[in-house]
Amino acid sequence: MKLSDLAEGLNKPIHFEERPVSKELMLELLNIAVWAPNDGLREPWRFIYVDGQNSGILNRLQEPAPAYLLIVMQAEHDSHKQEEDFAAVSCLIQNFRLLAHERSLGVRWTLNEWTYDRKHAEAFMLQDDERIAAVLEVGHIAVHADVTSEKALQEPQLRFELL
Amino acid sequence: MNLSELIMARRSIRKCNALPVEQELVIELLRDAARLQPALDAGAWRVVYAGTPESSKQLVDYMLAQITQSKLGKLIPGKLLDVMKRRFTEIPAHVIVLSAQGTDRLTSDRNFAAVCGMMQSFQLLGWERGLGMIWDTESIIQNESFFKGIGIREDERFVGILHLGYFDKAPRGRKRTPAERKWTIWEGSTI
Ligand SMILES: Cc1cc2nc3c(=O)[nH]c(=O)nc-3n(C[C@H](O)[C@H](O)[C@H](O)COP(=O)(O)O)c2cc1C
């Protein structure tokens, strides 16, 4: 199986089954996802698991989902390092998304305005030097017979210029 | 190789061989990577490509502009500079990636994150074809002459350069911290 074969499935809108997602499965996938490239091997990430049944403020700030994974990054003072770390964390999330999809787990990768709000960050006991890089909504993918994706069939537009 | 193996096997490649890289292949892999990133709009990112000896040389001049122009740089022996230049000009292809900032921080961050995800897929897709890459964000290259040289626009954010080529030997992997040690379960609000 080639990686590019996953594209069609990833282009379909994600609907979740209600059943919970096993934490063991998430950890199994995360342990592979951490093989993301990251500058200086800083591994600038950590994970907060939030159950969809007991999601506190996420209940009103996010779409419903069986589970949430807050991807928290260390926010270095140096803004250049911070960019590198945000990039590394995004690579990790991409790995996780692809791996999850292969196991019929859907991941909606979200970033919303509230994540910039320190008050909300404190609700999840983030340190002052941490920020939320993404909130992943995770669940088993419900099979919808009716969804055929137009987008997957399209050639993606590329803005490719020569130096 | 299955997906898990692929993700764990990928290494940053700092030393490649002289085999040329086809521009068509780079474009094909970028398209495949974009397809794996449905949330990424075409307008949210742009690639500037250097894949000929002339453009590689041009790019390396931009990258080292700060060093060569600085007082300190004037003290660097010409030979050493040549070695630094050769290290990069010998790499067959360079993919410069830029993301669109949009009108607010949220849009900028979303675009940046999605573009990085695309670049990770691109690295994995490349690995499947024997192509190695190193993601370069060295601060020393990031200065006005460099940005001007590559033609970055006012509303663009520099994401990185992927230097890429075929390679003879992959370096050993450096161990990662187990996810369990970076994992907490939120038990709900205590207040
Ligand atoms: C956003 C980003 C920027 C990076 N910048 C550099 C760089 O400027 N120079 C460098 O040698 N490596 C750079 N790297 C590569 C890391 O050093 C590399 O991923 C790390 O050492 C782990 O090795 P691996 O990729 O082989 O697993 C960068 C990686 C990322 C994700």
Side-chain angles (χ1 to χ4, degrees):
Chain A
M1 142 129 215
K2 286 191 6 250
L3 176 53
S4 49
D5 296 339
L6 293 181
E8 195 173 334
L10 283 165
N11 275 275
K12 288 180 183 155
I14 296 173
H15 301 281
F16 296 132
E17 286 179 11
E18 274 187 32
R19 68 188 162 111
V21 182
S22 117
K23 298 186 189 75
E24 288 70 30
L25 176 57
M26 280 213 198
L27 276 166
E28 182 192 330
L29 301 180
L30 282 172
N31 268 317
I32 302 164
V34 292
W35 284 90
N38 62 102
D39 197 60
L41 218 66
R42 290 195 288 277
E43 302 184 279
W45 46 66
R46 71 180 182 92
F47 319 108
I48 302 176
Y49 172 92
V50 181
D51 193 297
Q53 297 292 323
N54 174 27
S55 62
I57 54 172
L58 295 188
N59 192 27
R60 60 185 168 83
L61 297 170
Q62 294 287 140
E63 293 295 319
Y68 301 92
L69 206 53
L70 269 58
I71 313 288
V72 176
M73 73 178 249
Q74 190 71 34
E76 297 271 347
H77 293 301
D78 176 345
S79 66
H80 168 251
K81 280 203 173 120
Q82 215 179 113
E83 290 284 274
E84 287 176 344
D85 288 348
F86 190 30
V89 171
S90 302
C91 290
L92 171 134
I93 295 170
Q94 181 71 357
N95 284 346
F96 182 75
R97 243 183 105 232
L98 297 173
L99 289 161
H101 186 78
E102 205 188 33
R103 306 287 284 268
S104 298
L105 274 187
V107 175
R108 290 197 295 244
W109 179 349
T110 77
L111 182 66
N112 293 311
E113 199 69 48
W114 71 263
T115 57
Y116 297 133
D117 187 335
R118 286 320 297 178
K119 268 208 310 287
H120 289 327
E122 277 162 25
F124 293 102
M125 287 167 289
L126 260 63
Q127 305 290 313
D128 287 342
D129 60 349
E130 291 183 318
R131 60 182 259 214
I132 296 172
V135 177
L136 307 184
E137 298 170 350
V138 187
H140 293 275
I141 297 173
V143 185
H144 279 244
D146 56 322
V147 283
T148 45
S149 173
E150 296 284 304
K151 222 176 166 185
L153 308 170
Q154 275 174 22
E155 262 304 84
Q157 294 284 314
L158 211 60
R159 293 197 297 157
F160 183 93
E161 286 150 35
L162 300 178
L163 182 74
Chain B
M1 207 188 279
N2 68 30
L3 179 61
S4 305
E5 288 166 346
L6 174 63
I7 288 173
M8 293 195 284
R10 181 215 53 84
R11 295 275 79 76
S12 294
I13 295 297
R14 293 179 171 83
K15 192 171 167 21
C16 43
N17 62 33
L19 273 183
V21 173
E22 295 294 326
Q23 183 174 314
E24 288 68 35
L25 176 62
V26 173
I27 293 178
E28 181 194 329
L29 297 179
L30 282 170
R31 273 195 216 288
D32 284 347
R35 241 185 239 114
L36 292 167
Q37 208 69 14
L40 182 62
D41 286 332
W45 62 297
R46 186 167 72 92
V47 164
V48 179
Y49 182 69
T52 61
E54 298 72 39
S55 59
S56 290
K57 209 171 147 292
Q58 188 63 256
L59 174 64
V60 173
D61 281 340
Y62 297 143
M63 285 170 58
L64 298 180
Q66 169 144 325
I67 300 178
T68 48
Q69 286 162 14
S70 68
K71 274 197 194 128
L72 189 71
K74 300 235 160 52
L75 299 175
I76 298 179
K79 263 207 181 126
L80 183 61
L81 262 183
D82 285 343
V83 171
M84 287 165 78
K85 280 192 182 173
R86 219 175 316 127
R87 201 188 130 214
F88 289 106
T89 42
E90 278 173 359
I91 299 175
H94 313 264
V95 173
I96 304 164
V97 184
L98 309 160
S99 73
Q101 291 187 10
T103 50
D104 52 49
R105 178 182 176 192
L106 186 62
T107 309
S108 181
D109 281 351
R110 280 178 173 168
N111 287 348
F112 184 88
V115 170
C116 291
M118 183 283 298
M119 287 163 78
Q120 170 62 6
S121 300
F122 179 66
Q123 293 203 75
L124 295 172
L125 290 159
W127 195 263
E128 281 184 327
R129 307 286 192 98
L131 268 180
M133 314 190 190
I134 176 79
W135 189 325
D136 182 355
T137 52
E138 294 296 344
S139 52
I140 190 83
I141 65 170
Q142 295 191 45
N143 58 76
E144 241 168 89
S145 359
F146 170 73
F147 287 135
K148 209 171 139 221
I150 62 169
I152 196 169
R153 295 174 193 149
E154 213 170 292
D155 69 329
E156 286 177 327
R157 191 160 161 185
F158 174 73
V159 191
I161 309 179
L162 293 167
H163 304 287
L164 59 103
Y166 296 96
F167 57 93
D168 298 324
K169 197 167 175 289
R172 278 229 232 143
R174 288 164 71 195
K175 255 210 166 138
R176 304 309 201 254
T177 308
E180 286 80 357
R181 298 221 333 247
K182 291 177 164 273
W183 163 274
T184 33
I185 296 169
W186 191 72
E187 306 281 5
S189 173
T190 45
I191 347 161

